[in-house]
């Protein structure tokens, strides 16, 4: 009896049973990532929310090709090679033949990935006859915003492992759009199975992909659990488990990092970095992110239609002070419209610098030596490219006073703000842009082209046919050197004309436990934990 | 005699629950927004769906029929959908309530284990130093706000010393199949996976929230036990026993304790409603995935079906708990059965 009692006590306290434990202590083989929000969906095609993309895109799925963050070149992923036709209207991809889809509790694949899956994945985006097109409200925000749904004529299966994309017209940014985190390959077999089961709506919620991890469970406001994909085609996955701890409160996320409940923490704010940097067991990573924070002038309104006035204003502001007070020195001072990590970047010699005397001189040349009054719109939300627009606006306001310009700061609720800026009610505005692809066109066309002016997206209200021609020429060619040349011309033109003053590129922050290796921040798109491991 | 008492209590219970359902039902009309949405939690439903819901909820009929339909749905387990998650409210309640209950039960156990003996010791050494010490400690514990205590403990033990985790019920890398939703029991049922490490981890997670939550009921029980004990010790039969030459421990253990503990048992039951309220604050601070945190988030997000479901579940539970403690009290104390009317 006594033996039994101790046996029970021992079991209760220490779990020492005669049988070997059915699971090893795999805490060392798992990774906890503290995420800032619940994912909106588990399919990157249907969302552009950054926090969701971080969680799902690179972990669960693969794309046909990817972009090397260093060189900007395309790398083979699910496609081993690709050919572009002479006229640039047709792209043929040769697919890998050894790619397994996830074997999950709700789906067991019977075949490997082939051309059917690729055709299905892209057809869903623009083909209204695809059975999944209208599942999830038929909303594919990224592809619709770049007009990919209008660009692709058809996606055709040539043979089991070859797919051809036919376009209506040639566009050099096509490949980089195919390489974004949004263009993932889904399983057609799984889709067909769900149609049979009449559970089509599960398709975006219970994912099946080819990525390094496979989905296990999602408890809203609590956690997301992935397990290793044993048959991952690219390389062995080190981590047995990947868990996302959903912690919306930023301070709690940092606290969890300090108590080692998180191995990686997303987006700590610049003010919290000092606390994190003091700890030896935590590494704070700062990565250049493809974004730009700028000050745009409404070039249709006098006196901002005069480039001399714009130059005067640009020279009047103290960029260094902004970097200190707004970015806490955790940003990069802009030297062009494009961030330095962009492949077309060229540091501009004529980039405006803080020089109030020169500013006054320009004002004099423009016949405005007496100064004038203007409005300065500051966005009310914090973004990577501008953590505190209000503070930035106040600094600019004070600098402008020195050259006799009286600026009034205007703020509205974010949606109203965007709407009114879209109607060009402002004189000048502090805004920014974060890229989805490293393609430089992503910075120019949506911000400064004439079409952007008409659709209300161009905050400078600047329509310059010469500039637009450069953009079109750059898109019409596939020769990288040639494209680079056109974009360098475009950058030069922006700085000469100054429809907007590029101010800074914000950094993306991440705190990682120092024993975690293999996680690197990329300048664009979501984060990849495929090669994460514990040393 | 007892049957009559039980009948009175049960009818009171039924009346209370009836009032509770009326109140919950009325909330649908009191909350802003569409009636159909408040009932079902379905937003942006199509015309056909709305019509089906109107039909299902009998919204076009009189209020009694609507109430009947409401009750029928409640019994069927159709508590509507949460506006923020789109999931059934009942499944949220089923998943989250055990976590809260678990926390409350452990806290109450700690409170009883510490509170009652401390109260007895205090009364045994009335006006001597143990009494004074226990009294002042319990006054401190009673006065400190629960959120403040929680933050102090987090500062000291989690962030400072790194001894305890500050959130959740268990390390997220331990995958425990939820069967009963009581984490320790689930770990036991799964046969202590991960070589028992999960169990230790769960205990680690439990420690601070339990201490924080136990603070208030412990101090209440200390004071209550002490007062009740002093009262009993002052009675003639104790004096007689003392005159007979019994020593202090014999007096307390054999003669005073049972009588003194009767009102304390009732008090333990009554502590449950306070506990649930305090558990909500504790859950928010320690990110404990219980119904309290969920309810508070639902209030933030104006998730009316969730607020209704959460309120119903919590109030239902508190009423039942109070009734149970009343029953147990009356079983132990025959005099209590003679009360003419029920009291909650």
């Amino acid at each position: 009896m006594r033996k039994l009692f101790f046996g029970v006590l021992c079991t209760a306290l220490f779990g020492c049973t005669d049988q070997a434990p059915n699971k090893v202590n795999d805490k060392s083989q798992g990774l906890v990532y503290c995420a800032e929000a619940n994912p909106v969906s588990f399919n990157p095609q249907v969302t552009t929310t950054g926090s969701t993309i971080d969680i799902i895109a690179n972990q669960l799925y693969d794309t046909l090709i990817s972009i090397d963050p260093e060189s900007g070149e395309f790398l083979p992923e699910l496609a081993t090679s690709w050919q572009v036709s002479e006229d640039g209207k047709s792209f043929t991809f040769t697919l890998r033949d050894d790619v397994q889809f996830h074997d999950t509790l709700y789906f067991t694949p019977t075949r490997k990935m082939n051309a059917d899956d690729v055709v299905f994945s892209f057809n869903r985006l623009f083909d209204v006859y695809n059975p999944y097109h209208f599942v999830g409200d038929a909303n594919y925000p990224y592809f619709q915003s770049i007009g990919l749904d209008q660009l692709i004529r058809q996606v055709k299966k040539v043979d089991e492992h070859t797919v051809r994309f036919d376009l209506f017209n040639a566009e050099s940014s096509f490949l980089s759009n195919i390489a974004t985190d949004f263009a993932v390959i889904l399983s057609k077999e799984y889709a067909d199975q769900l149609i049979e089961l009449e559970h089509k709506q599960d398709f975006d919620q219970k994912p099946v992909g080819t990525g390094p991890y496979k989905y296990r469970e999602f408890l809203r406001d609590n956690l997301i659990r992935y397990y290793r994909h044993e048959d991952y085609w690219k390389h062995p996955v080190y981590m047995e488990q990947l868990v996302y701890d959903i912690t919306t409160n930023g301070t709690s996320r940092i606290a969890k990092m300090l108590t080692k409940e998180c191995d990686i923490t997303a987006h700590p704010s610049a003010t919290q970095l000092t606390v994190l940097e003091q700890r030896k067991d935590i590494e704070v990573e700062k990565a250049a992110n493809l974004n730009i924070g700028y000050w745009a002038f409404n070039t249709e309104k006098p006196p901002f239609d005069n480039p001399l006035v714009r130059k005067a204003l640009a020279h009047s502001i103290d960029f260094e002070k902004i970097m200190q007070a707004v970015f806490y020195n955790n940003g990069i001072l802009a030297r062009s419209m494009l961030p330095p990590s962009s492949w077309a970047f060229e540091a501009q010699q004529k980039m405006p610098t803080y020089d109030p005397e020169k500013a006054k001189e320009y004002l004099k040349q423009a016949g405005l030596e007496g100064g004038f009054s203007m409005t300065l719109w500051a966005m009310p939300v914090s973004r990577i490219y501008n953590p505190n627009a209000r503070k930035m606006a106040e600094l600019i306001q004070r600098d402008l006073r020195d050259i006799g310009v009286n600026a009034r700061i205007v703020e509205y609720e974010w949606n109203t703000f965007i709407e009114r800026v879209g109607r060009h009610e402002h004189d000048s505005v502090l805004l920014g842009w974060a890229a989805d692809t490293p393609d430089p066109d992503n910075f120019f066309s949506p911000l400064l082209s004439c079409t952007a002016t008409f659709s209300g997206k161009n905050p400078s209200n600047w329509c310059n046919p010469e500039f637009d021609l450069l953009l079109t020429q750059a898109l019409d060619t596939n020769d990288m050197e040639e494209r680079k040349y056109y974009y360098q011309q475009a950058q030069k033109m922006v700085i000469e004309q100054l429809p907007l003053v590029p101010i800074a590129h914000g950094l993306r922050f991440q705190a990682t436990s120092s024993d975690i290796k293999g996680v690197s921040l990329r300048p664009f798109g979501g984060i990849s934990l495929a090669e994460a491991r514990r040393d | 005699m007892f049957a009559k008492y039980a009948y009175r209590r049960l009818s009171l219970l039924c009346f209370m629950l009836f009032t509770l359902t009326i109140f919950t039902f009325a909330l649908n009309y009191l909350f802003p927004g569409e009636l159909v949405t408040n009932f079902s939690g379905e937003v942006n439903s199509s015309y056909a769906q709305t019509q089906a819901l109107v039909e299902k909820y009998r919204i076009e009929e009189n209020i009694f029929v609507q109430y009947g339909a409401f009750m029928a749905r409640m019994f069927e387990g159709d508590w509507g959908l949460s506006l923020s998650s789109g999931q059934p409210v009942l499944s949220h309640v089923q998943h989250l309530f055990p976590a809260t209950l678990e926390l409350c039960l452990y806290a109450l156990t700690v409170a009883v284990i510490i509170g009652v003996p401390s109260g007895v010791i205090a009364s045994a050494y009335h006006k001597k130093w143990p009494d004074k010490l226990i009294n002042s400690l319990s006054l401190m514990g009673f006065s400190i706000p629960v959120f403040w205590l929680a933050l102090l403990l987090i500062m000291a033990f989690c962030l400072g010393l790194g001894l305890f985790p500050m959130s959740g019920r268990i390390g997220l890398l331990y995958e425990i199949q939820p069967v009963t939703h009581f984490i320790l029991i689930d770990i036991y049922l799964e046969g202590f996976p991960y070589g028992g490490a999960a169990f230790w981890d769960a205990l680690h997670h439990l420690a601070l929230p339990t201490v924080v939550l136990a603070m208030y009921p412990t101090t209440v029980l200390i004071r209550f036990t002490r007062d009740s004990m002093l009262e009993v010790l002052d009675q003639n039969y104790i004096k007689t026993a003392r005159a007979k030459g019994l020593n202090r421990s014999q007096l307390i253990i054999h003669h005073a304790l049972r009588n003194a503990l009767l009102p304390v048992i009732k008090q333990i039951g009554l502590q449950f409603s306070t506990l649930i309220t305090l558990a909500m604050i504790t859950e928010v601070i320690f990110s404990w995935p219980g119904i309290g945190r969920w309810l508070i988030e639902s209030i933030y997000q104006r998730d009316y079906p969730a607020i209704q479901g959460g309120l119903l579940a919590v109030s239902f539970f508190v009423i039942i708990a109070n009734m149970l403690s009343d029953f147990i009290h009356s079983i132990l104390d025959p005099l209590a059965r003679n009360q003419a009317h029920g009291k909650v």
Side-chain angles (χ1 to χ4, degrees), chain A residues 63 118-119 153-154 156 213 223 232 247 250 275 294 352-353 372 399 415-416 426 466 503 508:
Chain A
T63 46
V118 179
V119 173
R153 184 204 294 270
Q154 64 166 353
K156 219 177 155 205
Y213 297 96
L223 65 87
Y232 187 50
T247 313
V275 182
Y294 57 77
T353 50
F372 59 94
D399 288 336
N415 287 333
T416 320
H426 58 289
E466 222 176 306
I503 295 177
R508 180 178 167 150

PDB file of all heavy atoms in Angstrom, chain A residues 63 118-119 153-154 156 213 223 232 247 250 275 294 352-353 372 399 415-416 426 466 503 508:
ATOM      1  N   THR A  63       7.226  30.301 -53.126  1.00  0.00           N
ATOM      2  CA  THR A  63       6.843  30.973 -54.368  1.00  0.00           C
ATOM      3  C   THR A  63       7.647  30.354 -55.505  1.00  0.00           C
ATOM      4  O   THR A  63       8.575  29.581 -55.268  1.00  0.00           O
ATOM      5  CB  THR A  63       7.144  32.476 -54.276  1.00  0.00           C
ATOM      6  OG1 THR A  63       8.459  32.626 -53.732  1.00  0.00           O
ATOM      7  CG2 THR A  63       6.162  33.176 -53.364  1.00  0.00           C
ATOM      8  N   VAL A 118       0.237  25.149 -59.815  1.00  0.00           N
ATOM      9  CA  VAL A 118       0.619  26.519 -60.164  1.00  0.00           C
ATOM     10  C   VAL A 118      -0.508  27.200 -60.939  1.00  0.00           C
ATOM     11  O   VAL A 118      -0.881  28.344 -60.649  1.00  0.00           O
ATOM     12  CB  VAL A 118       1.926  26.510 -60.990  1.00  0.00           C
ATOM     13  CG1 VAL A 118       2.316  27.923 -61.384  1.00  0.00           C
ATOM     14  CG2 VAL A 118       3.032  25.845 -60.199  1.00  0.00           C
ATOM     15  N   VAL A 119      -1.062  26.481 -61.893  1.00  0.00           N
ATOM     16  CA  VAL A 119      -2.156  27.056 -62.691  1.00  0.00           C
ATOM     17  C   VAL A 119      -3.327  27.409 -61.775  1.00  0.00           C
ATOM     18  O   VAL A 119      -3.879  28.514 -61.836  1.00  0.00           O
ATOM     19  CB  VAL A 119      -2.607  26.057 -63.791  1.00  0.00           C
ATOM     20  CG1 VAL A 119      -3.851  26.572 -64.502  1.00  0.00           C
ATOM     21  CG2 VAL A 119      -1.477  25.827 -64.781  1.00  0.00           C
ATOM     22  N   ARG A 153      -2.982  37.213 -69.281  1.00  0.00           N
ATOM     23  CA  ARG A 153      -4.025  36.762 -70.211  1.00  0.00           C
ATOM     24  C   ARG A 153      -4.446  35.342 -69.846  1.00  0.00           C
ATOM     25  O   ARG A 153      -5.614  35.036 -69.736  1.00  0.00           O
ATOM     26  CB  ARG A 153      -3.480  36.795 -71.639  1.00  0.00           C
ATOM     27  CG  ARG A 153      -4.505  36.441 -72.709  1.00  0.00           C
ATOM     28  CD  ARG A 153      -3.805  35.923 -73.961  1.00  0.00           C
ATOM     29  NE  ARG A 153      -3.010  36.955 -74.601  1.00  0.00           N
ATOM     30  CZ  ARG A 153      -3.490  37.773 -75.544  1.00  0.00           C
ATOM     31  NH1 ARG A 153      -4.720  37.656 -75.945  1.00  0.00           N
ATOM     32  NH2 ARG A 153      -2.709  38.674 -76.077  1.00  0.00           N
ATOM     33  N   GLN A 154      -3.450  34.483 -69.647  1.00  0.00           N
ATOM     34  CA  GLN A 154      -3.757  33.123 -69.203  1.00  0.00           C
ATOM     35  C   GLN A 154      -2.547  32.457 -68.586  1.00  0.00           C
ATOM     36  O   GLN A 154      -1.405  32.845 -68.839  1.00  0.00           O
ATOM     37  CB  GLN A 154      -4.273  32.284 -70.379  1.00  0.00           C
ATOM     38  CG  GLN A 154      -3.232  32.104 -71.463  1.00  0.00           C
ATOM     39  CD  GLN A 154      -3.621  31.012 -72.438  1.00  0.00           C
ATOM     40  OE1 GLN A 154      -4.595  30.300 -72.237  1.00  0.00           O
ATOM     41  NE2 GLN A 154      -2.843  30.859 -73.491  1.00  0.00           N
ATOM     42  N   LYS A 156      -0.988  28.711 -68.419  1.00  0.00           N
ATOM     43  CA  LYS A 156      -1.236  27.457 -69.128  1.00  0.00           C
ATOM     44  C   LYS A 156      -0.285  26.360 -68.697  1.00  0.00           C
ATOM     45  O   LYS A 156       0.909  26.606 -68.509  1.00  0.00           O
ATOM     46  CB  LYS A 156      -1.065  27.708 -70.637  1.00  0.00           C
ATOM     47  CG  LYS A 156      -2.081  26.971 -71.447  1.00  0.00           C
ATOM     48  CD  LYS A 156      -1.973  27.261 -72.902  1.00  0.00           C
ATOM     49  CE  LYS A 156      -2.578  26.047 -73.578  1.00  0.00           C
ATOM     50  NZ  LYS A 156      -2.136  25.803 -74.890  1.00  0.00           N
ATOM     51  N   TYR A 213       7.274  24.876 -42.692  1.00  0.00           N
ATOM     52  CA  TYR A 213       6.453  24.476 -41.547  1.00  0.00           C
ATOM     53  C   TYR A 213       5.034  24.175 -41.993  1.00  0.00           C
ATOM     54  O   TYR A 213       4.567  24.716 -42.985  1.00  0.00           O
ATOM     55  CB  TYR A 213       6.409  25.585 -40.494  1.00  0.00           C
ATOM     56  CG  TYR A 213       7.760  25.881 -39.900  1.00  0.00           C
ATOM     57  CD1 TYR A 213       8.538  26.923 -40.395  1.00  0.00           C
ATOM     58  CD2 TYR A 213       8.262  25.119 -38.857  1.00  0.00           C
ATOM     59  CE1 TYR A 213       9.792  27.199 -39.858  1.00  0.00           C
ATOM     60  CE2 TYR A 213       9.504  25.378 -38.320  1.00  0.00           C
ATOM     61  CZ  TYR A 213      10.264  26.422 -38.820  1.00  0.00           C
ATOM     62  OH  TYR A 213      11.499  26.676 -38.294  1.00  0.00           O
ATOM     63  N   LEU A 223      -2.396  31.735 -29.542  1.00  0.00           N
ATOM     64  CA  LEU A 223      -1.199  31.206 -30.205  1.00  0.00           C
ATOM     65  C   LEU A 223      -1.513  30.615 -31.572  1.00  0.00           C
ATOM     66  O   LEU A 223      -2.667  30.313 -31.904  1.00  0.00           O
ATOM     67  CB  LEU A 223      -0.539  30.133 -29.343  1.00  0.00           C
ATOM     68  CG  LEU A 223      -1.291  28.833 -29.059  1.00  0.00           C
ATOM     69  CD1 LEU A 223      -1.065  27.802 -30.150  1.00  0.00           C
ATOM     70  CD2 LEU A 223      -0.816  28.231 -27.756  1.00  0.00           C
ATOM     71  N   TYR A 232      10.438  18.784 -46.418  1.00  0.00           N
ATOM     72  CA  TYR A 232      10.690  20.066 -47.086  1.00  0.00           C
ATOM     73  C   TYR A 232      11.776  19.890 -48.141  1.00  0.00           C
ATOM     74  O   TYR A 232      12.820  19.290 -47.877  1.00  0.00           O
ATOM     75  CB  TYR A 232      11.105  21.110 -46.043  1.00  0.00           C
ATOM     76  CG  TYR A 232      11.220  22.503 -46.597  1.00  0.00           C
ATOM     77  CD1 TYR A 232      10.188  23.042 -47.364  1.00  0.00           C
ATOM     78  CD2 TYR A 232      12.348  23.282 -46.373  1.00  0.00           C
ATOM     79  CE1 TYR A 232      10.275  24.308 -47.878  1.00  0.00           C
ATOM     80  CE2 TYR A 232      12.445  24.559 -46.879  1.00  0.00           C
ATOM     81  CZ  TYR A 232      11.416  25.075 -47.637  1.00  0.00           C
ATOM     82  OH  TYR A 232      11.509  26.333 -48.145  1.00  0.00           O
ATOM     83  N   THR A 247       0.722  38.602 -28.868  1.00  0.00           N
ATOM     84  CA  THR A 247       0.736  39.591 -27.793  1.00  0.00           C
ATOM     85  C   THR A 247       0.594  40.964 -28.424  1.00  0.00           C
ATOM     86  O   THR A 247       1.553  41.501 -28.982  1.00  0.00           O
ATOM     87  CB  THR A 247       2.067  39.503 -27.019  1.00  0.00           C
ATOM     88  OG1 THR A 247       2.331  38.137 -26.737  1.00  0.00           O
ATOM     89  CG2 THR A 247       2.014  40.294 -25.737  1.00  0.00           C
ATOM     90  N   GLY A 250       2.603  46.136 -26.954  1.00  0.00           N
ATOM     91  CA  GLY A 250       4.034  46.240 -27.224  1.00  0.00           C
ATOM     92  C   GLY A 250       4.887  46.088 -25.978  1.00  0.00           C
ATOM     93  O   GLY A 250       5.922  45.418 -26.004  1.00  0.00           O
ATOM     94  N   VAL A 275      16.580  49.432 -23.510  1.00  0.00           N
ATOM     95  CA  VAL A 275      16.374  48.401 -22.491  1.00  0.00           C
ATOM     96  C   VAL A 275      16.851  47.049 -23.021  1.00  0.00           C
ATOM     97  O   VAL A 275      17.552  46.297 -22.337  1.00  0.00           O
ATOM     98  CB  VAL A 275      14.876  48.291 -22.125  1.00  0.00           C
ATOM     99  CG1 VAL A 275      14.653  47.265 -21.033  1.00  0.00           C
ATOM    100  CG2 VAL A 275      14.338  49.645 -21.708  1.00  0.00           C
ATOM    101  N   TYR A 294       8.763  61.012 -46.497  1.00  0.00           N
ATOM    102  CA  TYR A 294       9.042  62.227 -47.283  1.00  0.00           C
ATOM    103  C   TYR A 294       8.118  63.379 -46.906  1.00  0.00           C
ATOM    104  O   TYR A 294       7.136  63.203 -46.188  1.00  0.00           O
ATOM    105  CB  TYR A 294       8.930  61.929 -48.785  1.00  0.00           C
ATOM    106  CG  TYR A 294       7.576  61.359 -49.186  1.00  0.00           C
ATOM    107  CD1 TYR A 294       6.457  62.179 -49.313  1.00  0.00           C
ATOM    108  CD2 TYR A 294       7.427  59.994 -49.442  1.00  0.00           C
ATOM    109  CE1 TYR A 294       5.228  61.661 -49.665  1.00  0.00           C
ATOM    110  CE2 TYR A 294       6.201  59.472 -49.788  1.00  0.00           C
ATOM    111  CZ  TYR A 294       5.098  60.318 -49.901  1.00  0.00           C
ATOM    112  OH  TYR A 294       3.888  59.807 -50.234  1.00  0.00           O
ATOM    113  N   PRO A 352      19.197  68.081 -51.067  1.00  0.00           N
ATOM    114  CA  PRO A 352      19.201  69.303 -50.251  1.00  0.00           C
ATOM    115  C   PRO A 352      19.785  69.061 -48.858  1.00  0.00           C
ATOM    116  O   PRO A 352      19.572  68.013 -48.259  1.00  0.00           O
ATOM    117  CB  PRO A 352      17.722  69.674 -50.156  1.00  0.00           C
ATOM    118  CG  PRO A 352      16.961  68.584 -50.771  1.00  0.00           C
ATOM    119  CD  PRO A 352      17.872  67.693 -51.496  1.00  0.00           C
ATOM    120  N   THR A 353      20.533  70.042 -48.387  1.00  0.00           N
ATOM    121  CA  THR A 353      21.113  69.962 -47.041  1.00  0.00           C
ATOM    122  C   THR A 353      20.612  71.159 -46.237  1.00  0.00           C
ATOM    123  O   THR A 353      20.048  72.094 -46.793  1.00  0.00           O
ATOM    124  CB  THR A 353      22.641  70.018 -47.093  1.00  0.00           C
ATOM    125  OG1 THR A 353      22.989  71.137 -47.915  1.00  0.00           O
ATOM    126  CG2 THR A 353      23.225  68.740 -47.643  1.00  0.00           C
ATOM    127  N   PHE A 372       5.916  83.609 -46.505  1.00  0.00           N
ATOM    128  CA  PHE A 372       4.491  83.361 -46.772  1.00  0.00           C
ATOM    129  C   PHE A 372       3.957  82.374 -45.743  1.00  0.00           C
ATOM    130  O   PHE A 372       4.715  81.875 -44.912  1.00  0.00           O
ATOM    131  CB  PHE A 372       4.294  82.839 -48.204  1.00  0.00           C
ATOM    132  CG  PHE A 372       5.031  81.556 -48.493  1.00  0.00           C
ATOM    133  CD1 PHE A 372       4.388  80.333 -48.346  1.00  0.00           C
ATOM    134  CD2 PHE A 372       6.365  81.576 -48.911  1.00  0.00           C
ATOM    135  CE1 PHE A 372       5.067  79.153 -48.604  1.00  0.00           C
ATOM    136  CE2 PHE A 372       7.043  80.387 -49.162  1.00  0.00           C
ATOM    137  CZ  PHE A 372       6.399  79.178 -49.015  1.00  0.00           C
ATOM    138  N   ASP A 399      11.969  75.370 -38.089  1.00  0.00           N
ATOM    139  CA  ASP A 399      12.999  75.718 -39.070  1.00  0.00           C
ATOM    140  C   ASP A 399      12.473  76.675 -40.132  1.00  0.00           C
ATOM    141  O   ASP A 399      13.193  77.566 -40.585  1.00  0.00           O
ATOM    142  CB  ASP A 399      13.520  74.441 -39.757  1.00  0.00           C
ATOM    143  CG  ASP A 399      14.377  73.602 -38.826  1.00  0.00           C
ATOM    144  OD1 ASP A 399      14.927  74.185 -37.865  1.00  0.00           O
ATOM    145  OD2 ASP A 399      14.492  72.387 -39.055  1.00  0.00           O
ATOM    146  N   ASN A 415      -7.968  57.927 -41.666  1.00  0.00           N
ATOM    147  CA  ASN A 415      -8.721  57.689 -42.900  1.00  0.00           C
ATOM    148  C   ASN A 415      -9.124  58.991 -43.569  1.00  0.00           C
ATOM    149  O   ASN A 415      -9.018  59.151 -44.786  1.00  0.00           O
ATOM    150  CB  ASN A 415      -9.961  56.841 -42.621  1.00  0.00           C
ATOM    151  CG  ASN A 415      -9.587  55.394 -42.350  1.00  0.00           C
ATOM    152  OD1 ASN A 415      -8.561  54.939 -42.830  1.00  0.00           O
ATOM    153  ND2 ASN A 415     -10.392  54.708 -41.567  1.00  0.00           N
ATOM    154  N   THR A 416      -9.586  59.949 -42.752  1.00  0.00           N
ATOM    155  CA  THR A 416      -9.960  61.265 -43.281  1.00  0.00           C
ATOM    156  C   THR A 416      -8.734  61.939 -43.888  1.00  0.00           C
ATOM    157  O   THR A 416      -8.802  62.560 -44.955  1.00  0.00           O
ATOM    158  CB  THR A 416     -10.496  62.156 -42.142  1.00  0.00           C
ATOM    159  OG1 THR A 416     -11.303  61.364 -41.310  1.00  0.00           O
ATOM    160  CG2 THR A 416     -11.252  63.342 -42.670  1.00  0.00           C
ATOM    161  N   HIS A 426      -4.181  69.764 -49.349  1.00  0.00           N
ATOM    162  CA  HIS A 426      -3.058  70.218 -48.538  1.00  0.00           C
ATOM    163  C   HIS A 426      -2.129  71.141 -49.321  1.00  0.00           C
ATOM    164  O   HIS A 426      -2.155  71.183 -50.546  1.00  0.00           O
ATOM    165  CB  HIS A 426      -2.260  69.003 -48.078  1.00  0.00           C
ATOM    166  CG  HIS A 426      -1.760  68.164 -49.230  1.00  0.00           C
ATOM    167  ND1 HIS A 426      -2.590  67.401 -50.007  1.00  0.00           N
ATOM    168  CD2 HIS A 426      -0.524  68.005 -49.754  1.00  0.00           C
ATOM    169  CE1 HIS A 426      -1.884  66.797 -50.950  1.00  0.00           C
ATOM    170  NE2 HIS A 426      -0.633  67.158 -50.818  1.00  0.00           N
ATOM    171  N   GLU A 466       7.721  63.960 -68.886  1.00  0.00           N
ATOM    172  CA  GLU A 466       9.089  63.505 -69.090  1.00  0.00           C
ATOM    173  C   GLU A 466       9.439  62.392 -68.089  1.00  0.00           C
ATOM    174  O   GLU A 466      10.055  61.396 -68.418  1.00  0.00           O
ATOM    175  CB  GLU A 466      10.023  64.691 -68.858  1.00  0.00           C
ATOM    176  CG  GLU A 466      11.142  64.807 -69.856  1.00  0.00           C
ATOM    177  CD  GLU A 466      11.938  66.063 -69.571  1.00  0.00           C
ATOM    178  OE1 GLU A 466      11.315  67.160 -69.497  1.00  0.00           O
ATOM    179  OE2 GLU A 466      13.143  65.941 -69.368  1.00  0.00           O
ATOM    180  N   ILE A 503      13.135  62.319 -46.830  1.00  0.00           N
ATOM    181  CA  ILE A 503      13.743  62.650 -45.537  1.00  0.00           C
ATOM    182  C   ILE A 503      14.527  61.476 -44.962  1.00  0.00           C
ATOM    183  O   ILE A 503      15.710  61.601 -44.705  1.00  0.00           O
ATOM    184  CB  ILE A 503      12.661  63.118 -44.532  1.00  0.00           C
ATOM    185  CG1 ILE A 503      12.061  64.431 -45.047  1.00  0.00           C
ATOM    186  CG2 ILE A 503      13.258  63.325 -43.150  1.00  0.00           C
ATOM    187  CD1 ILE A 503      10.948  64.973 -44.215  1.00  0.00           C
ATOM    188  N   ARG A 508      13.702  48.546 -39.699  1.00  0.00           N
ATOM    189  CA  ARG A 508      12.813  47.588 -39.077  1.00  0.00           C
ATOM    190  C   ARG A 508      13.595  46.930 -37.944  1.00  0.00           C
ATOM    191  O   ARG A 508      14.727  46.497 -38.131  1.00  0.00           O
ATOM    192  CB  ARG A 508      12.400  46.538 -40.099  1.00  0.00           C
ATOM    193  CG  ARG A 508      11.477  45.515 -39.499  1.00  0.00           C
ATOM    194  CD  ARG A 508      11.037  44.506 -40.513  1.00  0.00           C
ATOM    195  NE  ARG A 508      10.414  43.417 -39.782  1.00  0.00           N
ATOM    196  CZ  ARG A 508       9.452  42.665 -40.266  1.00  0.00           C
ATOM    197  NH1 ARG A 508       9.005  42.871 -41.463  1.00  0.00           N
ATOM    198  NH2 ARG A 508       8.933  41.692 -39.555  1.00  0.00           N
TER     199      ARG A 508
END
